[in-house]
Amino acid sequence: AQSVAQPEDQVNVAEGNPLTVKCTYSVSGNPYLFWYVQYPNRGLQFLLKYITGDNLVKGSYGFEAEFNKSQTSFHLKKPSALVSDSALYFCAVRALSSNTGKLIFGQGTTLQVKP
Amino acid sequence: DSGVTQTPKHLITATGQRVTLRCSPRSGDLSVYWYQQSLDQGLQFLIQYYNGEERAKGNILERFSAQQFPDLHSELNLSSLELGDSALYFCASSVAGGARWGEQFFGPGTRLTVL
């Protein structure tokens, strides 16, 4: 069965410092991985994805993620955090069945960036 | 704005009642997904439709049903409601291919409160 784990419920970081939000996955075969962000009272917004190719993926709002096959990880990173980055972040893996594009989400990590 | 619309934004109802949640996907997107977000279960996939046909089913209760109409809008019907059905229900849509393959575009959600 496919699954995604986000080991931290909350990450706290000071504005201007680098941030990392961790994600590990469990799939058989090649994974298709995604990061989404949810601001309060809003829907999820797509940040970035890894399908194939370069292990370092760049996305929206200065975020990037590194795919590491040996560690089965897909950590989200940003070199310099902003207060406005404070939100709930979800890592997700796409189901491998060719018949569906459903996403399996991690539990989410709340990012708190303090001024 | 993702281009996915959901109505209503909020719904308050009583146990045992039936409600219908409506979703309009982005123009041209054939796939519609329904997800439930709750504090204890996290973000769970419920069901997917593709061009009017059911494509995949997730953790959807038998009391819940959905359909996608010829104009591609979708409705999620929840019946015999219980307190535990209180949650945020998201609809998402996706393209079949191209550069944005795999990405899902989420609506703002319908917050259901069962009293």
Side-chain angles (χ1 to χ4, degrees):
Chain A
Q2 297 147 72
S3 64
V4 174
Q6 294 179 243
E8 301 153 318
D9 288 337
Q10 181 156 329
V11 169
N12 298 308
V13 64
E15 188 174 33
N17 282 1
L19 70 87
T20 298
V21 182
K22 294 180 181 177
C23 171
T24 58
Y25 64 89
S26 174
V27 300
S28 52
N30 295 320
Y32 302 139
L33 298 159
F34 301 80
W35 275 102
Y36 283 82
V37 60
Q38 184 180 24
Y39 296 100
N41 301 313
R42 302 281 295 275
L44 278 71
Q45 294 177 37
F46 169 79
L47 279 180
L48 49 80
K49 67 183 177 186
Y50 173 82
I51 304 297
T52 187
D54 198 350
N55 288 345
L56 186 63
V57 178
K58 293 191 184 295
S60 308
Y61 313 120
F63 284 94
E64 57 190 31
E66 187 165 12
F67 171 65
N68 188 317
K69 191 169 184 178
S70 62
Q71 296 186 5
T72 62
S73 66
F74 189 55
H75 300 332
L76 181 70
K77 302 183 181 193
K78 188 173 182 182
S80 178
L82 300 172
V83 172
S84 57
D85 292 329
S86 298
L88 182 58
Y89 290 80
F90 289 97
C91 182
V93 63
R94 178 184 163 106
L96 283 177
S97 166
S98 61
N99 209 29
T100 176
K102 73 177 186 183
L103 295 175
I104 299 162
F105 287 91
Q107 283 297 101
T109 298
T110 299
L111 174 65
Q112 188 75 38
V113 181
K114 301 205 169 150
Chain B
D1 184 4
S2 68
V4 177
T5 60
Q6 288 187 250
T7 56
K9 289 190 78 170
H10 302 276
L11 204 45
I12 301 174
T13 189
T15 54
Q17 294 297 305
R18 172 190 169 93
V19 297
T20 297
L21 281 52
R22 182 188 168 104
C23 167
S24 292
R26 293 188 326 152
S27 177
D29 286 357
L30 300 179
S31 275
V32 169
Y33 308 80
W34 286 97
Y35 293 88
Q36 179 194 60
Q37 185 179 27
S38 61
L39 282 174
D40 53 343
Q41 299 284 338
L43 201 53
Q44 300 264 322
F45 167 75
L46 293 178
I47 197 164
Q48 177 198 356
Y49 277 82
Y50 178 83
N51 202 20
E53 301 284 329
E54 182 184 301
R55 180 61 66 92
K57 244 178 178 175
N59 299 323
I60 188 166
L61 300 170
E62 284 192 15
R63 300 183 284 109
F64 297 0
S65 64
Q67 53 185 326
Q68 186 179 27
F69 294 87
D71 68 351
L72 300 179
H73 92 269
S74 178
E75 293 181 356
L76 180 66
N77 300 296
L78 315 176
S79 61
S80 303
L81 285 167
E82 302 175 359
L83 296 178
D85 298 328
S86 296
L88 199 47
Y89 291 84
F90 287 111
C91 167
S93 70
S94 67
V95 296
R100 306 212 72 169
W101 179 88
E103 298 172 31
Q104 292 185 15
F105 300 88
F106 282 76
T110 294
R111 183 169 294 280
L112 173 66
T113 302
V114 182
L115 301 176

